[in-house]
Amino acid sequence: MAATSSSEEAAPGGSPGSPPRSAGKPARSLPVLAGALLASWLVPTALISAGLGFLVLPLLVLAVAAVMRVGGVLLDRLVAAALVIAGGVLVFGLVFSLWPWGIDPVPTSGVLFSVVALTGWASRRAPRLPLRFRPSDLLVVGTGYVMWHYLHKPLVGKGPGWRLEFLTTSEDRLNHFSYFVGIEHVGGYDFLHQEAAKAYMMSGEGVYPQGSHFLLAWIDSLFRSSADLGSTLDTMNRYLLYVLAAYALLGVALVWAARWIGGPRLRGWRTAAVCGTVAALVFSSNYTDLVTHGFDSTVIGLLMVALLTAFLVRPAMRTPDFLVLAGAGLITVTYVYNLFGAVAGIGLAAALLVHRRRLRRSRWLLYVLAGVVTLGLAALPSVVSVLSNLDVASTSNLGGPSVAADRTILVGGLLLALLAAAVPANRRTGTGQAHLAVVLGAGVVICGFAWWQMHTIGHVSYYFEKLAGTGVVIALVSIGAIGPLLRATPPARVPVLRRRIGDGVLSVVSVATALSLFAGVQWGMESFKAAPTAWHQNSLMAWSRGESWSDIGPRHGATVMGDLDGINEPMMVLYSNDDYKNLKSTWVAALLRGRGGDMRALYETHWVNIGAEPRKDAEHEAALAHVKTAAEKLGRPMTVVVADRATGDRLRKELTGFQPRITVVEKPGNNWVESWNRSFPGD
């Protein structure tokens, strides 16, 4: 017989998880429904028309939170609402992609608010928010503030042009940005508009998971109060800010999820110890390199895994809310990064098995139908990918630059999670059993994938490190299960005020200790023998100091912002004798002109290592062959922009009479600097 969660909220007058009695519920009034539906359209329309569309998202979160019955404090309810909205936007995005209005903020917001109104009316739930807070809310929100401070620090004082040096840190982000703008241009998922989307991206329109890009594109339409992209340069800057915000929210999600899993037994200084430890590990983690490497979907995918894991382990809510949250979480994870869907799916199955007593036998057919629909929706993008000739076996073994999952946290954290779930105080509860099942399920998936790669290619590679990131996330949030085991029995007859002051002091000491032990913060002792402390050497601090800027940024004159005028053809930018820098410069130029699809042919630039100064004949000839191949793949005239006049003259002679025509233009470095200063005098 399955155990029930010790922290489930009992329905008034009933057992945990049982449906509430109808007494006290508001009647289903048609005039009330009509008024709610009218407001669902008037409010977002008025805000967006006034240029205040950025207010629509927080209002939507509050509206969903008011209908849900999750958690006992406001922050818990808002987190649950955010996950449901993410899943809802991605599911309704299938409709938005096919109707004539695309992702225009007015009709999309109107539909979403209407769904919330209909749900509240059908369930007879009056809007209600728990205006309660916990002191540890400051630690959860503070984690996000600290991360945002350091992530945004190198951008302070820089204009939009110069900020591109932090956007263009990797080839991957250029790809992600192309998916993002492709969705905004075609008005929906790229995989549902594959032919139209080809104009905006190099590849992957029918294969790569696009959930994160769709979410960001829809949010961007709210912030702009329009479906019109506006300036591409401004769009690039907004996209960079969204990515940085997503990574800061990953830190918030990890700390919050650990606290949630700890449950009501996690109180006082023990809460501070748990939240401080998780925050410290996040600060010191190498995962800021995910931002530098442009692994934007990975960041958002791990964020969603953290939230879903928390609700699967401890579903302290009524059964309908749990099923909605679980379904929304599964869909969100698979749409954002379908590789993580394996861990999410196993975790959901394990949680449903453990918490099966919550499901009423009389409704088994309804549950089966809901499960089939949810699985069908969750699998849809992956099915489209496979039908688009995706070779799953070979793709799963691809190599590439990776951000290694911290083995100490991955292995040690999961072992600690197993220990926490196995102690008698936890293993008799539904929360403890679900925790154990989720950890074991994730371990089986990760180890199974590692075995597959070892069996097929002899080593673990790129996608193993991505998948192992879910193990790191589960290990971090599992720290919350350790907190309640730290017994703290206050002495009898201690005045309340004195006890609270003492608990506050212990909380501060706990957080300071965690930051010192796990983040390397030394509180003023910044170095020893001129060597900086561990805190100053982690990847978050390196980013904050501006050390992760792109080598194709304006410092080296390769962003070509001022060199685009008057060139209407596909353009290959050769400002370096480094072929990879030339590739990224060409890619940025294509994206800035809304022609990312040119990169299908212009990817030949990856092997063109000329442009900054003359090369030896053999090297020059090899590079020239790739220039010609690019033109042949394009099948139409193109322009080559070089920085060196001698190289330009030589190319012009060698390409005379070549078809399709190739025009060679010189833009020496000094001219570029002058052009840049004219274009961005405030940068």
Side-chain angles (χ1 to χ4, degrees), residues 590-650:
L591 292 174
L592 285 167
R593 303 163 74 219
R595 304 184 58 146
D598 290 345
M599 290 306 300
R600 294 173 185 268
L602 293 177
Y603 201 81
E604 289 290 324
T605 314
H606 200 345
W607 298 277
V608 180
N609 58 352
I610 59 175
E613 59 185 17
R615 281 281 197 181
K616 294 180 180 179
D617 288 348
E619 295 173 338
H620 182 92
E621 292 299 325
L624 178 62
H626 287 286
V627 174
K628 293 179 177 179
T629 300
E632 291 169 348
K633 287 183 177 180
L634 281 168
R636 59 185 186 275
M638 63 175 276
T639 297
V640 174
V641 183
V642 298
D644 177 60
R645 187 175 298 278
T647 301
D649 289 339
R650 181 175 180 179

Side-chain angles (χ1 to χ4, degrees), residues 4 74 111 126 185 217 223 240 246 253 294 314 328 355 372-373 377 404 450 458 465 534 643 648 682:
T4 58
L74 180 60
V111 167
H185 279 294
F223 273 77
L240 175 60
R314 180 175 165 259
H355 298 298
V372 170
V373 171
L377 288 171
E465 300 299 341

Side-chain angles (χ1 to χ4, degrees), residues 339 396 444-454 463-464 467:
L339 179 63
S396 64
V444 168
V445 173
I446 294 170
C447 292
F449 191 75
W451 175 87
W452 159 257
Q453 290 199 326
M454 293 295 294
Y463 280 113
F464 169 79
L467 185 62

Side-chain angles (χ1 to χ4, degrees), residues 274-298:
V274 166
C275 293
T277 298
V278 176
L281 291 171
V282 172
F283 294 153
S284 62
S285 168
N286 65 326
Y287 268 10
T288 305
D289 291 339
L290 293 173
V291 178
T292 305
H293 281 69
F295 297 160
D296 304 343
S297 290
T298 303

Side-chain angles (χ1 to χ4, degrees), residues 401-425:
S402 302
V403 177
D406 190 311
R407 271 33 175 194
T408 301
I409 297 177
L410 177 64
V411 178
L414 291 179
L415 289 175
L416 189 63
L418 290 175
L419 176 64
V423 298

Side-chain angles (χ1 to χ4, degrees), residues 29-241:
S29 169
L30 290 178
V32 170
L33 175 62
L37 291 176
L38 183 62
S40 297
W41 287 87
L42 289 181
V43 172
T45 300
L47 289 174
I48 292 168
S49 299
L52 300 174
F54 62 90
L55 294 176
V56 170
L57 185 57
L59 284 177
L60 183 59
V61 172
L62 288 173
V64 174
V67 173
M68 299 187 73
R69 300 294 183 260
V70 178
V73 297
L74 180 60
L75 183 60
D76 297 342
R77 188 75 63 85
L78 296 179
V79 170
L83 182 57
V84 169
I85 290 171
V89 169
L90 294 177
V91 170
F92 280 100
L94 299 170
V95 177
F96 300 157
S97 300
L98 300 177
W99 72 2
W101 302 283
I103 59 171
D104 187 282
V106 172
T108 56
S109 300
V111 167
L112 293 171
F113 274 109
S114 297
V115 171
V116 177
L118 284 168
T119 302
W121 180 81
S123 61
R124 293 192 292 174
R125 290 184 177 181
R128 188 177 70 203
L129 286 172
L131 299 180
R132 294 179 57 238
F133 306 90
R134 293 179 62 179
S136 55
D137 288 349
L138 294 175
L139 291 174
V140 176
V141 177
T143 299
Y145 171 78
V146 171
M147 293 187 69
W148 175 256
H149 169 76
Y150 287 112
L151 290 167
H152 189 252
K153 186 177 179 180
L155 307 183
V156 175
K158 291 183 171 63
W162 288 96
R163 288 185 178 193
L164 289 186
E165 63 187 15
F166 293 96
L167 174 86
T168 57
T169 51
S170 73
E171 178 183 342
D172 280 63
R173 177 157 298 122
L174 301 180
N175 245 331
H176 286 302
F177 180 76
S178 71
Y179 302 146
F180 167 80
V181 295
I183 287 170
E184 299 215 40
H185 279 294
V186 304
Y189 287 112
D190 295 318
F191 71 83
L192 294 178
H193 299 276
Q194 294 187 31
E195 285 303 314
K198 286 179 179 179
Y200 306 104
M201 60 192 65
M202 185 185 76
S203 62
E205 64 278 348
V207 175
Y208 197 86
Q210 297 156 19
S212 61
H213 315 101
F214 191 93
L215 284 173
L216 295 182
W218 180 71
I219 291 172
D220 189 49
S221 72
L222 294 179
F223 273 77
R224 288 179 290 103
S225 297
S226 171
D228 180 21
L229 272 170
S231 162
T232 306
L233 178 63
D234 290 340
T235 303
M236 284 184 164
N237 276 269
R238 291 195 306 273
Y239 179 79
L240 175 60
L241 294 177

Side-chain angles (χ1 to χ4, degrees), residues 268-270 272 490-491 494-510:
W269 67 268
R270 295 175 297 166
V494 175
V496 175
L497 179 60
R498 180 180 171 185
R499 187 167 64 247
R500 289 181 176 177
I501 292 175
D503 198 63
V505 172
L506 290 176
S507 296
V508 172
V509 173
S510 298

Side-chain angles (χ1 to χ4, degrees), residues 575-592:
Y575 277 170
S576 171
N577 279 10
D578 183 311
D579 50 9
Y580 192 55
K581 292 180 182 179
N582 285 338
L583 171 70
K584 291 195 286 186
S585 300
T586 300
W587 206 331
V588 171
L591 292 174
L592 285 167

